[in-house]
Coordinates of all heavy atoms in Angstrom, one line a residue:
E1 N 176.0 171.4 20.5 CA 174.6 171.4 20.9 C 173.7 171.5 19.6 O 172.7 170.9 19.6 CB 174.2 172.5 21.9 CG 172.8 172.4 22.4 CD 172.5 171.0 23.1 OE1 173.4 170.5 23.7 OE2 171.4 170.6 23.0
A2 N 174.1 172.3 18.7 CA 173.3 172.6 17.5 C 173.1 171.3 16.7 O 172.2 171.2 15.9 CB 173.9 173.7 16.6
Y3 N 174.0 170.3 16.8 CA 174.0 169.1 16.1 C 173.3 167.9 16.8 O 173.1 166.9 16.2 CB 175.4 168.7 15.7 CG 176.1 169.8 14.9 CD1 177.0 170.6 15.5 CD2 175.8 170.1 13.6 CE1 177.6 171.6 14.9 CE2 176.4 171.1 12.9 CZ 177.3 171.9 13.5 OH 177.9 172.9 12.9
R4 N 172.9 168.1 18.0 CA 172.3 167.1 18.8 C 171.0 166.7 18.1 O 170.2 167.6 17.7 CB 172.1 167.5 20.2 CG 171.6 166.4 21.2 CD 171.6 166.8 22.6 NE 172.8 167.4 23.1 CZ 173.9 166.7 23.4 NH1 174.0 165.4 23.2 NH2 175.0 167.3 23.8
G5 N 170.7 165.4 18.0 CA 169.4 165.0 17.4 C 169.4 165.1 15.8 O 168.4 164.9 15.2
T6 N 170.6 165.4 15.2 CA 170.6 165.5 13.8 C 171.5 164.3 13.3 O 172.1 163.6 14.1 CB 171.3 166.8 13.3 OG1 172.7 166.8 13.5 CG2 170.6 168.0 13.9
D7 N 171.6 164.2 12.0 CA 172.4 163.1 11.4 C 173.8 163.7 11.1 O 174.6 163.0 10.4 CB 171.8 162.5 10.2 CG 171.6 163.5 9.0 OD1 171.8 164.7 9.2 OD2 171.2 163.0 8.0
R8 N 174.1 164.9 11.5 CA 175.4 165.5 11.3 C 176.5 164.8 12.1 O 176.3 164.4 13.3 CB 175.4 167.0 11.6 CG 174.4 167.8 10.8 CD 174.6 167.7 9.3 NE 175.9 168.2 9.0 CZ 176.2 169.3 8.2 NH1 175.2 170.0 7.7 NH2 177.4 169.6 8.0
V9 N 177.7 164.7 11.6 CA 178.8 164.1 12.3 C 179.7 165.3 12.9 O 180.0 166.2 12.2 CB 179.7 163.3 11.4 CG1 181.0 162.8 12.1 CG2 178.9 162.1 10.8
V10 N 180.0 165.1 14.2 CA 180.8 166.1 14.9 C 182.1 165.3 15.2 O 182.1 164.3 15.8 CB 180.2 166.6 16.1 CG1 181.2 167.5 16.9 CG2 178.9 167.3 15.8
V11 N 183.2 165.9 14.7 CA 184.6 165.3 15.0 C 185.3 166.2 16.0 O 185.3 167.4 15.8 CB 185.4 165.1 13.7 CG1 186.8 164.6 14.0 CG2 184.7 164.2 12.7
F12 N 185.8 165.6 17.0 CA 186.4 166.4 18.1 C 187.8 165.8 18.3 O 187.9 164.6 18.7 CB 185.6 166.3 19.3 CG 186.1 167.2 20.5 CD1 186.0 168.6 20.4 CD2 186.6 166.6 21.6 CE1 186.4 169.4 21.4 CE2 187.1 167.4 22.6 CZ 187.0 168.8 22.6
S13 N 188.8 166.5 18.1 CA 190.2 166.1 18.3 C 190.8 166.8 19.4 O 190.8 168.1 19.4 CB 191.0 166.3 17.0 OG 192.3 166.0 17.2
A14 N 191.2 166.1 20.5 CA 191.8 166.7 21.6 C 192.8 165.9 22.3 O 192.5 164.7 22.5 CB 190.6 167.1 22.6
P15 N 193.9 166.4 22.7 CA 194.8 165.7 23.6 C 194.2 165.4 24.9 O 193.3 166.2 25.4 CB 196.0 166.6 23.7 CG 195.5 168.0 23.4 CD 194.3 167.8 22.5
L16 N 194.5 164.4 25.6 CA 194.1 164.0 26.9 C 192.6 163.7 27.0 O 192.0 163.8 28.1 CB 194.5 165.1 27.9 CG 196.0 165.5 28.0 CD1 196.2 166.6 29.0 CD2 196.8 164.3 28.2
L17 N 192.0 163.4 25.9 CA 190.6 163.1 25.9 C 190.3 161.9 26.8 O 189.3 161.9 27.6 CB 190.1 162.8 24.5 CG 188.6 162.8 24.2 CD1 188.0 164.1 24.4 CD2 188.4 162.3 22.7
V18 N 191.0 160.8 26.7 CA 190.9 159.7 27.5 C 191.3 160.0 29.0 O 190.6 159.6 29.9 CB 191.6 158.5 27.0 CG1 191.6 157.3 27.9 CG2 191.1 158.1 25.6
E19 N 192.4 160.6 29.1 CA 192.9 160.9 30.5 C 191.9 161.7 31.3 O 191.9 161.5 32.5 CB 194.2 161.7 30.3 CG 195.4 160.9 29.7 CD 195.4 160.9 28.2 OE1 194.4 161.2 27.6 OE2 196.4 160.4 27.6
T20 N 191.2 162.6 30.7 CA 190.2 163.4 31.5 C 188.9 162.7 31.6 O 188.0 163.3 32.3 CB 190.0 164.8 30.7 OG1 189.4 164.5 29.4 CG2 191.3 165.6 30.6
G21 N 188.7 161.6 31.0 CA 187.4 160.9 31.0 C 186.4 161.5 30.1 O 185.2 161.0 30.0
M22 N 186.7 162.5 29.3 CA 185.8 163.1 28.4 C 185.4 162.2 27.3 O 184.3 162.4 26.6 CB 186.4 164.4 27.9 CG 185.4 165.3 27.2 SD 186.1 166.9 26.8 CE 184.9 167.5 25.7
H23 N 186.2 161.2 27.0 CA 185.9 160.3 25.9 C 184.5 159.6 26.1 O 183.9 159.2 25.1 CB 186.9 159.2 25.7 CG 187.0 158.2 26.8 ND1 187.5 158.6 28.1 CD2 186.6 157.0 26.9 CE1 187.4 157.5 28.9 NE2 186.9 156.5 28.2
T24 N 184.0 159.5 27.3 CA 182.7 158.9 27.6 C 181.6 159.7 27.0 O 180.4 159.2 27.0 CB 182.6 158.6 29.1 OG1 182.6 159.9 29.8 CG2 183.6 157.7 29.6
A25 N 181.8 160.9 26.7 CA 180.7 161.8 26.1 C 180.5 161.6 24.7 O 179.6 162.2 24.1 CB 181.1 163.3 26.4
F26 N 181.2 160.7 24.0 CA 181.2 160.5 22.6 C 180.6 159.1 22.2 O 180.8 158.2 23.0 CB 182.5 160.7 22.0 CG 183.1 162.0 22.2 CD1 183.8 162.3 23.3 CD2 182.8 163.0 21.2 CE1 184.3 163.6 23.5 CE2 183.3 164.3 21.4 CZ 184.1 164.6 22.6
D27 N 179.9 159.1 21.1 CA 179.4 157.8 20.6 C 180.5 156.9 20.1 O 180.3 155.6 20.3 CB 178.4 158.0 19.5 CG 177.1 158.8 19.9 OD1 176.7 158.6 21.1 OD2 176.6 159.6 19.2
V28 N 181.5 157.4 19.6 CA 182.6 156.6 19.0 C 183.9 157.3 19.4 O 184.1 158.5 19.2 CB 182.5 156.5 17.5 CG1 183.7 155.8 16.9 CG2 181.2 155.9 17.1
L29 N 184.9 156.5 19.8 CA 186.2 157.0 20.1 C 187.2 156.3 19.1 O 187.3 155.1 19.0 CB 186.6 156.6 21.5 CG 188.1 157.0 21.9 CD1 188.2 158.5 21.8 CD2 188.4 156.5 23.2
V30 N 187.9 157.2 18.4 CA 188.9 156.7 17.4 C 190.2 157.1 18.0 O 190.4 158.3 18.3 CB 188.7 157.3 16.0 CG1 189.9 156.9 15.1 CG2 187.4 157.0 15.5
V31 N 191.1 156.2 18.2 CA 192.5 156.5 18.6 C 193.5 156.2 17.5 O 193.4 155.2 16.8 CB 192.9 155.6 19.9 CG1 194.3 155.7 20.2 CG2 192.0 155.9 21.0
V32 N 194.3 157.2 17.3 CA 195.3 157.1 16.2 C 196.6 156.8 16.9 O 197.0 157.5 17.8 CB 195.4 158.4 15.4 CG1 196.5 158.3 14.3 CG2 194.0 158.8 14.8

């Protein structure tokens, strides 16, 4: 929340991100 509206990059790495549908909360999804 503290980074919302800033130019800061937030990286979030989590298993099951796509499976839970949480990936839709992000501007960019990177899959390795």
